[in-house]
Amino acid sequence: MYTVIFGRAGCPQCARVKELAEKVSKSQDNFEWRYVDIHADGVTRAALEHAAGKPIETVPQIFVDQKHIGSFTEFDKFVRKQFGRVR
């Protein structure tokens, strides 16, 4: 399972989702992730909307195996469903 997190510096939810992804990667052998800073890497809102297939208002935006999951809340629910409570 490969997860890509799109976020920006100074975003509290981005920091939370990175912490959660790190916890998952330490507890699950089949989970890999990377973080993309949308400003540093020049990712536009239009590009995120195209990839997600819908309007994007906030970051972070998370994709698992190229499927759009959503923001932190949706990713947290996804993790709990897939892996249970991660510590």
Side-chain angles (χ1 to χ4, degrees), residues 26-80:
K26 287 180 179 178
S27 69
Q28 303 295 320
D29 292 335
N30 67 336
F31 184 86
E32 296 180 48
W33 69 284
R34 76 178 179 110
Y35 178 78
V36 177
D37 183 309
I38 61 171
H39 295 302
D41 291 339
V43 177
T44 65
R45 180 172 159 180
L48 274 178
E49 289 178 342
H50 179 73
K54 66 180 187 176
I56 300 294
E57 297 294 326
T58 62
V59 289
Q61 291 297 317
I62 299 106
F63 293 78
V64 176
D65 293 334
Q66 300 181 338
K67 178 182 179 221
H68 183 245
I69 298 298
S71 196
F72 175 81
T73 302
E74 293 81 16
F75 183 64
D76 186 48
K77 288 177 186 175
F78 173 84
V79 166
R80 289 173 191 250

Side-chain angles (χ1 to χ4, degrees), residues 5 15-29 31 33 72 75-76 79-80 83-87:
I5 300 165
R16 287 181 67 202
V17 79
K18 289 191 309 185
E19 288 176 17
L20 179 56
E22 187 60 31
K23 288 179 182 178
V24 175
S25 70
K26 287 180 179 178
S27 69
Q28 303 295 320
D29 292 335
F31 184 86
W33 69 284
F72 175 81
F75 183 64
D76 186 48
V79 166
R80 289 173 191 250
F83 308 113
R85 186 169 282 275
V86 178
R87 298 181 193 259

